[in-house]
Amino acid sequence: SQTIHQWPATLVQPVGSPLSLECTVEGTSNPNLYWYRQAAGRGLQLLFYSVGIGQISSEVPQNLSASRPQDRQFILSSKKLLLSDSGFYLCAWSRTRVTGELFFGEGSRLTVL
Amino acid sequence: DAKTTQPPSMDCAEGRAANLPCNHSTISGNEYVYWYRQIHSQGPQYIIHGLKNNETNEMASLIITEDRKSSTLILPHATLRDTAVYYCIVRVAGGTSYGKLTFGQGTILTVHP
């Protein structure tokens, strides 16, 4: 069966510090990978998606970047965090051609102080 | 993607069926109805999806009206663990939307003893 893991689960970082959130998927190959963010009291917003190694598409301009160094690894990064980067970050995967059915990770809660 | 309308909240007694409605009057012929739920502080969980026929899986049943302008998610025997926010989403099944799910406010389902 397929599983998805992301870490760390909770992170408290000062403004201006770097960020790295990691996500890995097991039990499938060539998945589509996604990073979503959920700000407090708001809906989920798609940040990045990837259809293959090294292929990243950004949905919104922001202070964050994503990378996919391996088929089942997806990383969300920032060089300098802003207060507005606080939120609940979710990694998800889908099968290549079945992009309406997403499977989400446990989430990473980031607080920027 | 077509817009959906859901009641903001619903209550259900444990062991009874929970029927969650969703209106999607502008749905297109190639758009599916997806249901997800999000338990507090967790990532969203895919429940079920359908095009025009009723669907059933181990979690729930999905009833879509003949004109496809509305649907109902049915949890046949609700438990306390089904307390969550339920999202109805309408989108194409694949294509180039690449997992961009538009989560609205959803319905907060509270299952009480």
Side-chain angles (χ1 to χ4, degrees):
Chain A
S1 63
Q2 300 88 8
T3 58
I4 179 170
H5 300 287
Q6 59 177 112
W7 66 93
T10 305
L11 201 59
V12 180
Q13 293 286 101
V15 169
S17 64
L19 171 73
S20 180
L21 301 179
E22 189 164 342
C23 172
T24 59
V25 180
E26 298 177 359
T28 188
S29 59
N30 195 31
N32 290 342
L33 297 173
Y34 312 88
W35 279 110
Y36 275 81
R37 177 172 61 197
Q38 187 172 35
R42 303 183 67 178
L44 279 79
Q45 179 185 37
L46 178 63
L47 302 176
F48 301 96
Y49 67 87
S50 172
V51 299
I53 296 174
Q55 300 178 62
I56 308 295
S57 296
S58 174
E59 281 293 303
V60 293
Q62 58 207 317
N63 185 43
L64 304 168
S65 62
S67 62
R68 185 171 177 174
Q70 300 180 44
D71 181 46
R72 289 168 290 174
Q73 183 184 26
F74 206 23
I75 298 172
L76 183 70
S77 304
S78 173
K79 293 182 178 178
K80 291 185 178 182
L81 283 169
L82 305 172
L83 288 174
S84 57
D85 292 325
S86 294
F88 191 44
Y89 288 82
L90 291 152
C91 181
W93 73 274
S94 72
R95 295 178 181 86
T96 303
R97 296 184 183 277
V98 188
T99 58
E101 193 173 326
L102 267 61
F103 301 94
F104 286 83
E106 308 94 334
S108 298
R109 189 164 302 280
L110 170 66
T111 302
V112 182
L113 302 175
Chain B
D1 296 339
K3 182 179 178 179
T4 62
T5 304
Q6 299 177 254
S9 64
M10 294 183 64
D11 289 334
C12 179
E14 188 176 21
R16 304 297 292 268
N19 298 286
L20 293 94
C22 180
N23 287 323
H24 32 79
S25 58
T26 60
I27 191 170
S28 300
N30 64 342
E31 289 181 316
Y32 286 67
V33 180
Y34 288 83
W35 283 85
Y36 284 77
R37 73 179 182 183
Q38 187 174 20
I39 296 170
H40 183 63
S41 294
Q42 297 183 21
Q45 178 187 23
Y46 164 82
I47 301 173
I48 198 169
H49 75 281
L51 182 63
K52 54 183 179 181
N53 297 321
N54 297 338
E55 302 288 345
T56 296
N57 63 19
E58 64 277 5
M59 290 184 65
S61 294
L62 174 60
I63 308 298
I64 303 174
T65 58
E66 191 169 346
D67 63 7
R68 301 209 323 123
K69 292 184 177 181
S70 65
S71 60
T72 301
L73 179 74
I74 301 173
L75 307 178
H77 305 286
T79 70
L80 298 179
R81 288 175 293 181
D82 291 323
T83 293
V85 181
Y86 287 77
Y87 298 99
C88 170
I89 300 167
V90 173
R91 71 185 304 280
V92 295
T96 57
S97 296
Y98 289 119
K100 184 176 182 178
L101 299 179
T102 302
F103 288 81
Q105 295 303 307
T107 296
I108 301 172
L109 175 68
T110 303
V111 181
H112 51 84

